[in-house]
């Protein structure tokens, strides 16, 4: 039983670590972890701000 | 103190930025690589002033009056954000062209320090530039630099620190600050400015080379950038790149890495023993270590590929490819500049889509943003490598074939979009300065490769790990959170989510829910396709540790996946040519600036990916077995519906144009 608990905690820690890294990155402006262009890309999410393209259309 | 790095495209701004800040931003030996501003602190060892200096790398611009949106970033920054000093990076090998922008910068009143960059190349050519005289005439400090060799950087930063707060006298007073509406006055001033630069260069520069004679570089360009020969040369180059990265060298290194991952898995398995619940041990071993390991196993192949592509870019070859492709793209209504986003998209679709902002025409920009993701990006390489290795003996040709299939789809797609949105060909001019051929820097290519590897590992350790764990949990449990029993896999959460999609994929030759689930997770990150396949089929090692072959037990892996060669190729193409990952879709949204265009693009990509996969599977099955595959008729109806919608849209536009013309008469 205690072995299961330890393994469960290890798995939980691994996944929590990955999720925490994703959340911290997002707070630092990195919308897509692992993307080399994430900080400069305004399109990391579907609700991104209007770009120059949109401005020009108007 | 804030310094802005401004200059013409391909003058070496980002190389200088990397050298003075220690950052690793993407550089390329061609114009248009940087499309957004980047900031970083100047390294302490270069900064003797004691002040904190922040450098801002700006996109290249030929003029302070912007023509493209990335040029407007530069113009807007130097005009409105009041940098303390502008370091104007001047390409010393092309002084005449560079100094026009310099003359405009000097008129702003902000202190300017000129970095006379690539001075090593100038000296090599035997050209002499009288730097002191140039500084005297321009009324600012001129520092000779070579950002590639990291020469003159301390002096440059020192000069920038000294210039801070001193103001700037203009040697030539032009139109900056005058009424921009007065075009005639602006053009007259531009002509005067050109004349001023012309006089100045003829006074300070002594060229040894007679530019009228044909150099070795010109002779090479007559072959490499030839309108017909250029295409087969490009095909051979890409074939060699894939052959080296995925057949010759890559698997050797991948084998070693997979051996390490297997050892880790074996070690953890030994630690767990038999006392741990099978649910937990399989989640850790197969879901997390196996799933992530299956993706990471392809890392060496990707690293070598990016290393070789960086070498090609650095030596100046990719700029020639842009010239070769230009004429073909223009014929289908795209801008010659469209090739730059597409080549950048081979690394990652996101910078490729972002680079579309260099295109002035809105329709061409949106069409390019829509079509760029058809170029297979780095994230799709593990999928290509896996399928090439498992189903095709000569893995080397599959990669280039996918690239050329992507180009073919782009050309067809551009023709369709042109028909839908605008009649007739559009005149566009593509003027790109061809960088000189040079011996590529191994160091720069290695840095680029390591940077890619780092991002790949971060992605594997975050998004892919979480996805694989989620896939494993969804596969293990039913909706009642009961463990799935032996032979009851179809009752799992994952199977019930993926099955409706799998039903739609039967005409494409891969109706298994596992394959549908892998394709679905690919929209989060394309590497997930490999990771999910590893998890759902329990294959942790796609790369052989025994025989240095690309894929472990190719025959057995193929049989586990239950695909024929035709359906495997169809599955591969479906994953490559349907919409890219969500992040790239977000970039498309930002660059297109129109929800209508975005949804049209997603629909077009889905339809195109489905159609290509359907045709490949059904025609391939007909050739190999003599009859069509399962679901041929429903699939045909779906493809016909898609083609009908496109035909209707093309015709409707034509009718509208005819009605408008009638009304005008």
């Amino acid at each position: 039983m205690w072995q299961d608990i330890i393994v469960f905690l290890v798995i939980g820690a691994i996944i929590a670590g990955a999720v925490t890294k994703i959340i911290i990155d997002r707070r630092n402006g990195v919308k897509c972890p692992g993307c080399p262009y994430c900080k400069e890309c305004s399109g990391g999410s579907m609700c991104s701000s209007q770009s120059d393209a949109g401005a020009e259309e108007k | 103190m804030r310094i802005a790095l401004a200059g013409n495209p391909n003058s070496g701004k980002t190389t200088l930025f990397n050298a003075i800040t220690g950052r690793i931003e993407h550089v390329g030996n061609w114009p248009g690589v940087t499309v957004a501003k980047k900031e970083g602190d100047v390294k302490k060892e270069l900064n003797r002033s004691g002040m904190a200096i922040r450098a801002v790398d700006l996109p290249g611009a030929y003029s302070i009056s912007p023509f493209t949106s990335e040029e407007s970033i530069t113009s807007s920054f130097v005009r409105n954000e009041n940098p303390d000093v502008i370091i104007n990076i001047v390409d010393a090998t092309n002084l005449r062209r560079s100094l026009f922008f310099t003359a405009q910068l000097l008129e702003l009143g902000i202190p300017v320090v000129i970095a006379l960059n690539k001075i090593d190349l100038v000296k090599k050519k035997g050209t002499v530039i009288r730097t002191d005289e140039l500084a005297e005439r321009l009324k600012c400090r001129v520092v000779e630099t070579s950002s590639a060799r990291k020469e003159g950087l301390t002096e440059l930063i020192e000069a920038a620190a000294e210039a801070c707060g001193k103001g700037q006298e203009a040697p030539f007073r032009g139109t900056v600050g005058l009424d921009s509406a007065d075009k005639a006055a602006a053009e007259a001033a531009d002509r005067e400015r050109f004349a001023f630069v012309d006089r100045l260069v003829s006074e300070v520069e002594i060229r040894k080379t007679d530019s009228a004679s044909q150099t070795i570089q010109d002779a090479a360009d007559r072959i490499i950038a030839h309108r017909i020969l250029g295409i087969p040369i490009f095909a051979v180059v890409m074939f060699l790149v894939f052959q080296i990265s995925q057949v010759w060298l890559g698997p050797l290194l991948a084998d070693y890495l997979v051996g390490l991952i297997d050892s880790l898995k074996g070690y953890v398995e030994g630690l767990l023993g038999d006392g741990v619940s099978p649910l937990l041990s399989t989640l850790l071993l197969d879901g997390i270590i196996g799933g992530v390991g299956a993706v990471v196993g392809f890392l060496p192949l990707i690293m070598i590929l990016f290393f070789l592509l960086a070498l090609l870019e650095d030596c100046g070859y990719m700029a020639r490819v842009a010239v070769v492709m230009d004429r073909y793209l223009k014929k289908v209504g795209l801008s010659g500049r469209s090739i730059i986003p597409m080549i950048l998209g081979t690394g990652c679709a996101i910078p490729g889509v972002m680079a579309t902002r260099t295109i002035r025409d809105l329709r061409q920009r949106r069409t390019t943003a829509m079509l760029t993701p058809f170029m297979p990006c780095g994230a799709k390489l593990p999928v290509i490598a896996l399928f090439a290795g498992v189903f095709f003996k000569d893995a080397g040709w599959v990669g280039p074939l996918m690239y050329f299939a992507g180009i073919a789809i782009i050309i067809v797609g551009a023709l369709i979009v042109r028909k839908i949105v605008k009649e007739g060909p559009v005149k566009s001019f593509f003027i790109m300065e061809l960088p000189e051929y040079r011996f590529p820097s191994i160091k720069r290519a290695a840095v680029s490769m390591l940077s890619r590897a780092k991002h790949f590992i971060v992605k594997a350790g975050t998004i892919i790990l979480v996805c694989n764990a989620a896939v494993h949990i969804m596969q293990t449990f039913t909706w009642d959170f009961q463990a799935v029993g032996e032979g009851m896999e179809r009752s799992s959460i994952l199977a019930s989510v993926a099955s409706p999609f799998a039903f739609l994929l039967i005409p494409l030759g891969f109706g298994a829910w596992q394959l549908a689930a892998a394709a679905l997770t690919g929209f989060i990150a394309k590497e997930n396709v490999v990771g999910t396949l590893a998890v759902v089929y329990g294959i942790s090692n796609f790369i052989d540790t025994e025989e240095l072959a690309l894929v472990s037990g190719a025959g057995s892996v193929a049989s586990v996946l239950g695909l024929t060669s035709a359906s495997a190729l169809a599955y591969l193409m479906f994953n490559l040519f349907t919409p890219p990952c969500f992040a790239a879709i977000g970039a498309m949204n930002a660059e297109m600036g129109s929800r209508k265009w975005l949804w049209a693009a997603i629909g077009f990509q889905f339809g195109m990916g489905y159609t290509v996969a359907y045709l490949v599977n059904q025609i391939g099955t007909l050739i190999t077995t003599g009859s069509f595959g399962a679901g041929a008729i429903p699939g045909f109806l779906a493809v016909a519906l898609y083609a009908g919608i496109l035909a209707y849209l093309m015709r409707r536009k034509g009718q509208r144009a005819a009605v408008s013309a009638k009304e005008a008469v």
Side-chain angles (χ1 to χ4, degrees):
Chain A
M1 181 63 184
W2 61 270
Q3 284 174 307
D4 284 348
I5 293 169
I6 291 171
V7 174
F8 182 79
L9 289 175
V10 169
I11 293 171
I14 291 170
I15 296 173
V19 172
T20 307
K21 164 83 177 146
I22 294 169
I23 292 169
I24 290 171
D25 281 352
R26 283 190 77 89
R27 282 186 187 159
N28 291 334
V30 179
K31 290 163 190 164
C32 316
C35 173
Y37 303 91
C38 44
K39 275 193 174 171
E40 65 201 63
C41 173
S42 57
S45 65
M46 292 294 285
C47 52
S48 61
S49 60
Q50 192 80 314
S51 71
D52 295 322
E56 194 174 309
E57 187 189 27
K58 284 175 182 174
Chain B
M1 175 183 163
R2 200 159 56 145
I3 53 174
L5 306 183
N8 285 175
N10 205 37
S11 56
K13 292 177 297 303
T14 305
T15 309
L16 183 78
F17 176 77
N18 286 345
I20 64 174
T21 61
R23 290 186 55 169
I24 308 170
E25 297 296 345
H26 181 62
V27 291
N29 184 18
W30 54 345
V33 175
T34 307
V35 293
K37 69 177 182 190
K38 293 159 191 147
E39 296 193 27
D41 292 322
V42 172
K43 285 194 276 190
K44 281 180 185 165
E45 59 263 35
L46 297 174
N47 180 9
R48 293 174 189 163
S49 67
M51 284 188 280
I53 303 179
R54 193 152 180 83
V56 183
D57 180 27
L58 297 168
Y62 288 109
S63 163
I64 205 91
S65 319
F67 281 98
T68 58
S69 63
E70 96 275 16
E71 277 191 336
S72 69
I73 294 172
T74 300
S75 174
S76 155
F77 186 87
V78 295
R79 280 169 187 263
N80 306 327
E81 296 203 27
N82 303 319
D84 296 298
V85 178
I86 297 171
I87 292 183
N88 173 217
I89 294 95
V90 165
D91 180 354
T93 63
N94 205 333
L95 208 53
R96 202 174 298 273
R97 188 206 60 203
S98 306
L99 289 181
F100 177 80
F101 185 49
T102 306
Q104 287 187 319
L105 290 176
L106 289 166
E107 292 162 32
L108 295 172
I110 300 167
V112 173
V113 174
I114 292 175
L116 203 58
N117 205 24
K118 304 185 187 178
I119 198 71
D120 51 326
L121 297 178
V122 170
K123 286 177 180 168
K124 206 174 163 186
K125 280 182 175 178
T127 304
V128 176
I129 298 174
R130 295 197 195 104
T131 310
D132 293 339
E133 200 177 328
L134 184 66
E136 199 179 309
R137 293 289 306 275
L138 292 175
K139 298 174 182 172
C140 66
R141 282 281 301 272
V142 177
V143 181
E144 293 185 352
T145 60
S146 168
S147 49
R149 294 183 174 205
K150 298 188 178 176
E151 289 169 3
L153 304 183
T154 311
E155 294 81 355
L156 182 68
I157 298 301
E158 213 170 77
E162 282 171 14
C164 181
K166 286 189 178 168
Q168 180 65 53
E169 198 181 335
F172 178 87
R173 179 53 63 181
T175 54
V176 175
L178 298 179
D179 181 14
S180 58
D182 190 352
K183 281 192 175 176
E187 280 175 14
D190 276 351
R191 276 194 293 275
E192 280 179 43
R193 196 181 283 116
F194 270 122
F196 165 75
V197 168
D198 226 28
R199 281 196 305 276
L200 178 62
V201 173
S202 54
E203 284 168 25
V204 300
E205 186 188 61
I206 304 158
R207 276 180 183 262
K208 195 180 171 188
T209 314
D210 183 2
S211 57
S213 64
Q214 184 176 299
T215 62
I216 297 170
Q217 304 240 353
D218 296 332
D221 274 342
R222 288 175 79 92
I223 300 167
I224 293 168
H226 189 269
R227 63 193 174 96
I228 297 166
L229 285 177
I231 298 281
I233 290 172
F234 179 47
V236 170
V237 168
M238 288 307 286
F239 175 77
L240 285 175
V241 164
F242 272 90
Q243 196 69 16
I244 295 168
S245 63
Q246 302 198 18
V247 180
W248 293 338
L249 190 56
L252 286 171
L253 302 174
D255 175 67
Y256 181 72
L257 181 63
V258 169
L260 288 178
I261 295 167
D262 278 350
S263 304
L264 172 71
K265 198 177 168 189
Y267 177 72
V268 174
E269 202 169 359
L271 277 181
L272 294 177
D274 297 330
V276 178
S277 157
L279 287 178
L280 289 173
S281 63
T282 54
L283 174 60
L284 183 59
L285 292 171
D286 298 336
I288 295 175
I289 300 175
V292 174
V295 177
V296 172
F298 290 98
L299 180 63
L301 282 70
I302 291 167
M303 286 173 72
I304 293 169
L305 182 90
F306 279 120
F307 180 77
L308 296 173
L309 289 178
L311 289 182
L312 287 177
E313 206 179 309
D314 202 36
C315 74
Y317 176 69
M318 287 313 225
R320 272 74 188 176
V321 173
V323 172
V324 170
M325 295 305 295
D326 169 46
R327 71 189 69 243
Y328 301 102
L329 292 179
K330 269 198 288 211
K331 279 182 184 166
V332 295
L334 289 175
S335 160
R337 277 182 167 266
S338 300
I339 191 65
I340 296 172
M342 286 167 192
I343 292 177
L344 286 175
T346 58
C348 173
I350 294 166
V353 171
M354 285 166 64
T356 58
R357 65 181 68 159
T358 60
I359 300 167
R360 287 180 68 190
D361 182 86
L362 187 59
R363 182 187 68 79
Q364 290 179 335
R365 185 192 308 158
R366 285 170 169 170
T367 309
T368 309
M370 175 193 279
L371 299 173
T372 293
F374 284 121
M375 289 301 283
C377 66
K380 292 171 182 170
L381 286 175
V383 192
I384 297 175
L386 169 64
F387 278 80
V390 170
F391 293 96
F392 304 97
K393 250 185 173 179
D394 301 316
W397 58 263
V398 178
L401 178 71
M402 292 303 115
Y403 277 80
F404 281 97
I407 293 171
I409 291 173
I410 285 169
I411 289 171
V412 172
L415 277 171
I416 293 171
V417 175
R418 193 181 81 178
K419 284 272 182 196
I420 291 174
V421 300
K422 197 168 184 174
E423 296 302 309
V426 183
K427 266 193 178 179
S428 73
F429 302 96
F430 176 49
I431 301 169
M432 188 169 99
E433 186 195 346
L434 284 179
E436 292 196 357
Y437 289 106
R438 67 182 184 201
F439 193 79
S441 161
I442 303 291
K443 190 184 166 191
R444 268 199 296 274
V447 167
S448 166
M449 175 186 78
L450 291 173
S451 166
R452 293 276 182 184
K454 181 190 146 198
H455 289 298
F456 187 85
I457 291 167
V458 169
K459 203 172 181 181
T462 51
I463 292 279
I464 292 168
L465 186 147
V466 173
C467 282
N468 285 341
V471 163
H472 193 274
I473 291 167
M474 287 168 76
Q475 186 197 12
T476 309
F477 293 98
T478 64
W479 286 103
D480 304 327
F481 279 96
Q482 300 294 315
V484 172
E486 188 78 29
M488 297 292 289
E489 286 82 6
R490 293 191 71 87
S491 63
S492 70
I493 299 171
L494 187 67
S496 61
V497 170
S499 291
F501 298 100
F503 177 74
L504 297 172
L505 302 177
I506 290 171
L508 314 187
F510 39 91
W513 64 264
Q514 292 93 331
L515 294 166
L520 282 176
T521 58
F523 292 115
I524 298 168
K526 287 293 172 185
E527 299 94 331
N528 266 334
V529 175
V530 173
T532 305
L533 287 176
V535 172
V536 295
Y537 286 115
I539 306 165
S540 60
N541 181 358
F542 283 119
I543 299 175
D544 196 349
T545 54
E546 300 292 322
E547 298 169 25
L548 306 181
L550 181 61
V551 173
S552 165
S556 64
V557 175
S559 65
V560 168
L561 296 183
L563 294 169
T564 62
S565 296
S567 59
L569 195 60
Y571 186 69
L572 174 60
M573 293 179 108
F574 180 81
N575 280 297
L576 298 191
F577 302 132
T578 43
C581 62
F582 290 134
I585 292 174
M588 280 164 57
N589 179 38
E591 299 306 327
M592 287 176 167
S594 157
R595 286 294 162 107
K596 191 175 127 188
W597 266 84
L598 178 73
W599 287 111
I602 292 171
F604 181 78
Q605 289 164 345
F606 260 120
M608 193 54 95
Y610 194 93
T611 303
V612 169
Y614 172 79
L615 293 175
V616 166
N617 176 52
Q618 295 297 340
I619 295 170
T621 307
L622 181 66
I623 292 169
T624 51
T625 66
S627 61
F628 286 110
I633 293 173
F636 176 77
L637 292 175
V639 170
L641 177 68
Y642 173 66
I645 291 170
L646 290 180
Y648 167 73
L649 291 172
M650 287 190 273
R651 197 161 164 264
R652 191 186 63 163
K653 194 75 188 176
Q655 281 174 344
R656 265 191 195 173
V659 169
S660 311
K662 250 185 183 176
E663 283 170 358
V665 171

